[in-house]
């Protein structure tokens, strides 16, 4: 029997989001076998007419808490605002264009309670036009210790899948808005503060790449992304999560990937970094 704990779902939406995809994301949350007790939508600055129309409808439902920010401050800031406003002890992340499997929260709460975890994630399937257009999958390790080993090179969670104890967020003072990727940094700091991790061995989320797969992965490629990663790895070194061997390993193995010619990077991403369907 699952312990009946209440969940606050926190989502951010901004001007470039697609209203149809946003609606699909919300519907997948509302169709959960284990329903959340609160859905917090942080509107990160101005949004398009379609999304604004949906928000006006959601405002009529007491389940929703809609927070409108005057200007776009980025995902980390929006999440901080949303989580700080949450009422309940468990926080579920959700992106504005992804689709949850209907039993996502049920399985994650059960796993978190059973194994006394602080953060739990799951496996994702990446799709293009729709969920019948499967592109690849991201498989992440399951157990705490193997996740920590994995985290020396890559994030041990797929960020949109996580469900976590709110006290983790409070202990860490939230996401660092000056660091990117903010989720990887959040997980390392959580580990260093003694929190326990787990991933369930089930697909919990359809992750939308969209029809233009090149556009989707270009966010993780290029000189600026490489500079951000170097900055992050230096932070890990200063926090003593990395020793110098760890630091040099990621500098020489990962940074060159970001500056490869894009066609080569795209091939590596889908054929090596992801498990093809």
């Amino acid at each position: 029997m699952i312990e009946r704990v209440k969940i606050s779902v926190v989502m951010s939406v901004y001007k470039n989001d697609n209203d149809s995809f946003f609606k699909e994301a919300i519907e997948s949350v509302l169709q959960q076998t284990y329903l959340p007790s609160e859905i917090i939508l942080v509107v990160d600055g101005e949004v398009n007419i379609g999304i604004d129309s949906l928000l006006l409808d959601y405002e009529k439902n007491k389940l929703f808490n809609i927070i409108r920010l005057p200007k776009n401050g980025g995902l980390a800031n929006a999440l901080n605002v949303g989580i700080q406003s949450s009422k309940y002890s468990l926080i579920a992340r959700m992106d504005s264009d992804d689709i949850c499997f209907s039993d996502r929260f049920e399985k994650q709460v059960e796993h978190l309670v059973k194994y006394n975890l602080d953060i739990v994630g799951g496996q994702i399937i990446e799709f293009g036009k729709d969920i019948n257009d499967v592109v690849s999958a991201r498989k992440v390790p399951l157990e705490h210790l193997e996740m920590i080993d994995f985290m020396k090179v890559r994030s041990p969670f797929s960020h949109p899948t996580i469900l976590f104890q709110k006290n983790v967020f409070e202990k860490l003072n939230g996401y660092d808005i000056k660091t990117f990727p903010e989720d990887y940094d959040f997980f390392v700091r959580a580990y260093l503060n003694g929190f326990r991790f787990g991933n369930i061995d089930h697909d919990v989320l359809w992750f939308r790449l969209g029809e233009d797969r090149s556009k989707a992965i270009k966010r993780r490629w290029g000189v600026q992304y490489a500079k951000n990663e170097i900055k992050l790895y230096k932070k890990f070194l200063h926090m003593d999560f990395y020793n110098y061997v760890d630091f040099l390993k990621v500098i020489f193995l990962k940074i060159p990937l970001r500056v490869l010619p894009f066609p080569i990077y795209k091939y590596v991403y889908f054929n090596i970094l992801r498990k093809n369907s």
Side-chain angles (χ1 to χ4, degrees):
M1 179 68 69
I2 298 175
E3 181 181 336
R4 203 69 201 175
V5 289
K6 293 184 175 181
I7 299 173
S8 295
V9 175
V10 178
M11 298 175 63
S12 170
V13 61
Y14 80 125
K15 65 181 180 181
N16 290 341
D17 283 324
N18 178 293
D19 55 306
S20 296
F21 300 162
F22 178 51
K23 185 177 181 180
E24 279 188 274
I26 293 292
E27 287 178 349
S28 76
V29 172
L30 294 175
Q31 293 167 2
Q32 288 293 298
T33 56
Y34 188 114
L35 286 171
S37 299
E38 174 183 46
I39 300 173
I40 299 174
L41 301 178
V42 182
V43 186
D44 197 10
E46 294 183 2
V47 289
N48 63 54
I49 294 173
I51 287 178
D52 202 48
S53 178
L54 289 169
L55 292 170
L56 291 173
D57 283 339
Y58 298 145
E59 283 177 337
K60 301 171 186 175
N61 186 331
K62 293 182 179 180
L63 186 64
F64 288 85
N65 175 11
I66 297 175
I67 302 169
R68 293 180 181 268
L69 302 181
K71 63 179 181 178
N72 183 281
L75 178 61
N77 178 69
L79 293 179
N80 285 343
V81 171
I83 296 168
Q84 286 164 359
S85 303
S86 63
K87 297 178 183 177
Y88 302 114
S89 61
L90 278 186
I91 307 296
R93 272 279 290 115
M94 180 65 186
D95 277 347
S96 57
D97 59 354
D98 297 332
I99 302 171
C100 287
F101 279 64
S102 63
D103 57 356
R104 172 192 165 184
F105 296 159
E106 181 179 353
K107 286 182 175 176
Q108 288 186 305
V109 170
E110 182 177 31
H111 195 81
L112 182 139
V113 171
K114 181 178 180 180
Y115 294 103
N116 194 28
L117 300 174
D118 299 296
I119 309 178
V120 63
Q123 315 304 321
I124 66 171
I125 298 175
E126 297 176 321
F127 70 98
K129 181 179 180 180
D130 55 43
I131 61 173
N132 296 310
D133 177 23
V134 174
V135 177
S136 58
R138 185 181 189 220
K139 300 299 182 184
V140 285
L142 308 180
E143 305 293 337
H144 178 79
L145 291 178
E146 63 177 340
M147 292 175 71
I148 302 312
D149 287 341
F150 188 87
M151 192 163 65
K152 292 288 184 177
V153 179
R154 298 171 65 188
S155 174
F157 295 101
S158 292
H159 191 208
T161 72
I162 64 170
L163 181 143
F164 60 98
Q165 306 277 5
K166 187 176 179 180
N167 69 305
V168 177
F169 175 87
E170 293 169 337
K171 176 70 173 180
L172 302 181
N173 293 314
Y175 291 89
D176 183 348
I177 63 173
K178 296 180 180 179
T179 298
F180 183 83
E182 66 281 328
D183 56 320
Y184 196 174
D185 170 71
F186 185 86
F187 302 142
V188 168
R189 290 187 292 123
Y191 162 68
L192 294 175
N193 277 273
F195 294 110
R196 290 195 57 80
F197 300 166
N199 280 307
I200 65 173
D201 193 17
H202 297 278
D203 296 320
V204 298
L205 190 82
W206 297 95
F207 183 89
R208 190 183 302 273
L209 289 175
E211 294 184 66
D212 188 345
R213 299 172 191 178
S214 294
K215 181 180 178 181
I217 67 169
K218 272 189 176 179
R219 293 175 294 181
R220 303 168 188 170
W221 170 82
V223 173
Q224 187 56 52
Y225 196 99
K227 288 179 179 179
N228 288 332
E229 278 197 317
I230 292 170
K231 181 180 177 182
L232 180 66
Y233 299 151
K234 286 180 178 178
K235 183 177 181 180
F236 290 170
L237 183 64
H238 294 322
M239 291 192 299
D240 292 328
F241 176 63
Y242 279 171
N243 57 35
Y244 278 99
V245 172
D246 297 326
F247 177 74
L248 292 173
K249 180 179 178 181
V250 291
I251 291 296
F252 287 110
L253 291 182
K254 291 194 68 178
I255 298 303
L257 285 175
R258 304 299 181 191
V259 294
L260 286 172
F262 184 71
I264 299 176
Y265 173 77
K266 182 179 179 181
Y267 177 85
V268 171
Y269 181 91
F270 286 116
N271 294 278
I272 298 174
L273 299 181
R274 290 294 190 263
K275 178 183 177 181
N276 288 336
S277 60

